[in-house]
Amino acid sequence: MSVAATDRAAAAIDVQNLHKYFGDNEVLKGIDFHVARGEVVCVIGPSGSGKSTLLRCVNLLETPTSGTILVEGDEITDPDADVDALRARIGMVFQQFNLFQHMTVLRNLTVAQEKVLKRGRAEATKVARANLEKVGLSDKADAYPAHLSGGQQQRVAIARALSMNPDMMLFDEPTSALDPELVGDVLAVMKDLASEGMTMMVVTHEMGFAREVADKVVFMDGGVIVEEGLPADVLGNPQHERTQAFLSRVL
C-alpha cells in the first residue's frame, strides 16, 4: 500500500469524488480530500465556492448527489449506515449558534446527552459543567442564551458539541456572525482544542487562525479544490492564480 493510501486508510474523514447538485446547479464537482486523525484542516475560499456545502455533507446535513464519505473508516454515504450513530461522533458548530433560547445554558448542554447518549442527569450535568469550564463560562450555567454576548453563545455551542464526546469537530464559519472584538475568545477555545489533539475541519475567513493553527489549508473555488498544503505554502506562497487573487483581496 502506498504512503498516500495508508494515510487515507487511517483518515478520520475521507471524501472521495464527492458531487453535490442543487437542482441543475453543481455546487461540488468531484471533491477528493482527507483529514487525518488529530489534524486541523482549514477550508478557505470565496463565498459560494462550496465550502459550507462540503462541511455539511461530511455529517449528512446535506445529502451528497454522488461520491463516498468515510468517517473513521465507516462509510456514512452507505444507504444502510446508521447515520445517527455516526453523526453522534461528529461535533458541529454553526455560524449561527442554534441554542435553545428557552433553556438555560446548562440545560442546552445536558439535553442531547440524556436523549442521545442516554446519560443520567447527574452525569450529564457533570460533563456539561466541565465543558463550560473548558470554554471559560462556568459562571454562566444558569443564564439564558439571550443574556449572553454572541461570542459567549458560540462558546456555549462549542461546549455543547464537546459534551457529546465527539471524535472530531466541524466548524462552519464559527466567528463570521460575531462582532470583531468577540472573535478572539472563540478562536482561543478552538486553539486549545487543536493543541489537545482534536481532529478539526474548519471553514473560516480567519486567515491568522489558519496560518497559526491549521496543519493543512484547503482553498476552494467554484466547487473544486484549487490548492491544498501547509499553511506556509498555501497562504504564504500560493501557486495558483485563483488562490493568489483571493488572498490578495483578504490579506
Side-chain angles (χ1 to χ4, degrees), residues 22-115:
F22 292 104
D24 294 331
N25 181 24
E26 188 178 18
V27 177
L28 299 177
K29 304 173 181 176
I31 298 289
D32 272 292
F33 92 116
H34 68 281
V35 180
R37 290 190 180 95
E39 190 173 43
V40 178
V41 175
C42 284
V43 184
I44 64 170
S47 296
S49 59
K51 309 183 300 294
S52 290
T53 300
L54 170 60
L55 194 77
R56 291 170 68 84
C57 282
V58 168
N59 71 346
L60 296 189
L61 287 174
E62 298 288 356
T63 304
T65 304
S66 65
T68 304
I69 302 172
L70 296 109
V71 172
E72 302 266 313
D74 294 321
E75 186 190 337
I76 65 169
T77 42
D78 183 332
D80 297 324
D82 184 345
V83 174
D84 289 338
L86 289 164
R87 202 181 269 153
R89 291 153 54 182
I90 306 172
M92 181 92 185
V93 177
F94 300 89
Q95 190 171 340
Q96 303 298 338
F97 322 120
N98 291 10
L99 298 175
F100 297 118
Q101 296 297 315
H102 64 290
M103 295 180 182
T104 64
V105 164
L106 186 66
R107 190 66 185 131
N108 264 279
L109 269 66
T110 58
V111 64
Q113 294 186 64
E114 292 173 26
K115 285 190 159 66

Side-chain angles (χ1 to χ4, degrees), residues 3-223:
V3 172
T6 305
D7 286 350
R8 300 199 79 146
I13 301 167
D14 188 7
V15 178
Q16 302 171 11
N17 196 27
L18 182 66
H19 292 260
K20 175 63 180 176
Y21 284 85
F22 292 104
D24 294 331
N25 181 24
E26 188 178 18
V27 177
L28 299 177
K29 304 173 181 176
I31 298 289
D32 272 292
F33 92 116
H34 68 281
V35 180
R37 290 190 180 95
E39 190 173 43
V40 178
V41 175
C42 284
V43 184
I44 64 170
S47 296
S49 59
K51 309 183 300 294
S52 290
T53 300
L54 170 60
L55 194 77
R56 291 170 68 84
C57 282
V58 168
N59 71 346
L60 296 189
L61 287 174
E62 298 288 356
T63 304
T65 304
S66 65
T68 304
I69 302 172
L70 296 109
V71 172
E72 302 266 313
D74 294 321
E75 186 190 337
I76 65 169
T77 42
D78 183 332
D80 297 324
D82 184 345
V83 174
D84 289 338
L86 289 164
R87 202 181 269 153
R89 291 153 54 182
I90 306 172
M92 181 92 185
V93 177
F94 300 89
Q95 190 171 340
Q96 303 298 338
F97 322 120
N98 291 10
L99 298 175
F100 297 118
Q101 296 297 315
H102 64 290
M103 295 180 182
T104 64
V105 164
L106 186 66
R107 190 66 185 131
N108 264 279
L109 269 66
T110 58
V111 64
Q113 294 186 64
E114 292 173 26
K115 285 190 159 66
V116 179
L117 301 181
K118 307 301 183 196
R119 285 180 180 151
R121 177 69 62 97
E123 184 189 359
T125 299
K126 182 179 176 184
V127 170
R129 289 191 183 280
N131 281 304
L132 285 174
E133 185 169 342
K134 181 182 281 237
V135 301
L137 292 174
S138 51
D139 59 331
K140 300 295 185 185
D142 298 321
Y144 285 85
H147 299 145
L148 303 180
S149 71
Q152 289 171 327
Q153 289 189 61
Q154 192 59 292
R155 284 187 280 154
V156 171
I158 293 171
R160 178 177 62 179
L162 291 173
S163 293
M164 301 298 286
N165 290 113
D167 296 334
M168 63 198 69
M169 292 281 285
L170 309 181
F171 294 87
D172 189 5
E173 301 195 23
T175 59
S176 62
L178 302 180
D179 293 332
E181 69 269 21
L182 302 176
V183 168
D185 290 340
V186 173
L187 293 181
V189 169
M190 294 169 64
K191 287 176 187 175
D192 288 345
L193 285 178
S195 69
E196 292 168 9
M198 176 65 77
T199 304
M200 293 163 58
M201 182 176 166
V202 185
V203 172
T204 186
H205 288 103
E206 299 289 340
M207 297 301 145
F209 175 84
R211 180 179 277 118
E212 183 181 345
V213 180
D215 298 297
K216 181 166 68 182
V217 173
V218 174
F219 172 67
M220 287 183 67
D221 193 13

